[in-house]
Amino acid sequence: MRTAACALLLLVCFYEVSADWCSYTCQKKQRYSVRCGWYGWSRCTRYRSVSGTCTEYCKHGGWTEYKETGTRSLCGATCGTGSQIRTLTRTCTNPSPYKRGNTCDGPSRKTEIVDCNLRPCPINGGWSDYSEWEEYDECSAMCGTGKMDQWRSRTCTNPSPAYGGASCSGASLQNRTIDCNTEECGDRCPPNVVKYFDHPENEKRYYQCDNEVAKRHDCSPTTMWDQEKHTCVHIDESIPAAPAPETEDICNGKVLVADSTDCTKFYMCAFGKRTGNALSCAPGLAFNPEISTCDHAANVPNC
């Protein structure tokens, strides 16, 4: 009995804590007395019905969380973030109204605008401005007007192709030949006179007068210019030759050679020697020495 009483007490407490109490108008019995009997000497009890306020246990309704239902509208963009409309609904079941409990206030359905197609749109590549003109080699004459070959490059980085966009079309390299050292040689190269001049910086080069133009010439490998003998002579093996600058590496007959330290770069060659600064392949490509051009990096060994 004691256990049952405790359980009943807990149940009553639970309902008192979690329940709502609803008031309503109801009919109640009202007791009153009247005189009755002989000569009204007695009092009799009577009952009558009157309006009053009653209360009872009830539950007021509560909304559930909104949940997406139905199909979203079409996205306003195929890429690059568009917008679409989605529908959300909720129900008055948290809890449901019980007995005289109030139903939920507010709408059971609403719409929202959300982002869609968040993937970036393809970006087609665009050319950068050309670099400044650079020389493959020095002027072909000391005076009397020579020729100089120059190059300049541009890169497909304005912008770079991305997300499946097209690469740039056209050449990334331009070449031109310009006149240089156009001043007359005068007494340095008189008409019908053959004269020789050593190169001020490169012992493997010299100048020879030819039709009043001091034209540049190169000695063959393993030789150097001897101004006294006016010819190229073999280098004395007892005197270590100074190492050739990096820009004069032999190209073995190739027009383009790979950079030995960076597989994505290459050099132009002129007169069998590497010239100028290293040029870069387009993003994602590497220089393939087998075909002497930029190629997919996966096709270039050790890159």
Side-chain angles (χ1 to χ4, degrees), residues 19-275:
D20 299 314
W21 292 95
C22 298
S23 300
Y24 64 96
T25 301
C26 61
Q27 295 296 315
K28 294 183 177 181
K29 287 184 179 181
Q30 186 182 57
R31 189 176 66 177
Y32 65 96
S33 62
V34 297
R35 292 179 181 274
C36 61
W38 291 98
Y39 304 106
W41 292 345
S42 299
R43 303 293 293 181
C44 296
T45 299
R46 298 287 185 269
Y47 292 91
R48 60 187 173 189
S49 180
V50 295
S51 296
T53 301
C54 297
T55 59
E56 68 175 352
Y57 162 73
C58 64
K59 275 286 187 181
H60 296 307
W63 287 117
T64 60
E65 295 292 333
Y66 274 109
K67 291 185 179 180
E68 183 174 354
T69 56
T71 303
R72 295 187 180 188
S73 66
L74 294 176
C75 189
T78 57
C79 62
T81 306
S83 61
Q84 63 184 173
I85 299 174
R86 69 172 183 172
T87 302
L88 303 172
T89 59
R90 58 182 179 174
T91 59
C92 188
T93 56
N94 186 35
S96 299
Y98 178 70
K99 289 190 176 181
R100 298 179 186 272
N102 296 331
T103 189
C104 300
D105 291 331
S108 62
R109 179 179 177 273
K110 69 175 182 178
T111 57
E112 289 182 341
I113 297 177
V114 294
D115 293 337
C116 55
N117 285 343
L118 303 180
R119 63 183 180 278
C121 293
I123 298 175
N124 295 329
W127 287 116
S128 66
D129 293 333
Y130 275 104
S131 62
E132 297 296 327
W133 287 103
E134 296 187 44
E135 293 76 32
Y136 285 115
D137 203 352
E138 62 183 322
C139 188
S140 64
M142 181 175 65
C143 56
T145 305
K147 298 293 182 181
M148 179 183 292
D149 294 326
Q150 294 183 321
W151 64 272
R152 66 178 183 175
S153 65
R154 58 181 180 174
T155 58
C156 189
T157 55
N158 187 35
S160 300
Y163 311 115
S167 186
C168 301
S169 60
S172 62
L173 187 70
Q174 276 190 347
N175 296 288
R176 72 176 182 181
T177 300
I178 62 172
D179 291 338
C180 54
N181 291 345
T182 55
E183 71 279 5
E184 295 182 358
C185 291
D187 293 337
R188 289 179 290 179
C189 287
N192 302 319
V193 175
V194 177
K195 296 178 66 176
Y196 296 93
F197 303 93
D198 56 357
H199 194 285
E201 298 177 355
N202 191 339
E203 61 185 7
K204 292 180 174 293
R205 288 182 170 179
Y206 63 96
Y207 296 96
Q208 178 183 345
C209 290
D210 183 1
N211 291 327
E212 302 181 60
V213 178
K215 297 181 178 180
R216 191 197 73 224
H217 295 273
D218 292 287
C219 293
S220 60
T222 72
T223 64
M224 59 183 294
W225 177 251
D226 189 324
Q227 181 63 21
E228 293 182 358
K229 297 180 180 180
H230 289 175
T231 187
C232 294
V233 298
H234 287 284
I235 299 173
D236 187 350
E237 296 181 358
S238 62
I239 302 175
E246 186 176 339
T247 56
E248 294 185 355
D249 289 346
I250 296 175
C251 295
N252 294 325
K254 295 182 179 181
V255 178
L256 303 174
V257 293
D259 189 320
S260 59
T261 60
D262 188 340
C263 65
T264 65
K265 295 183 179 181
F266 61 95
Y267 286 89
M268 302 290 297
C269 291
F271 304 103
K273 304 181 189 302
R274 201 174 76 182
T275 62

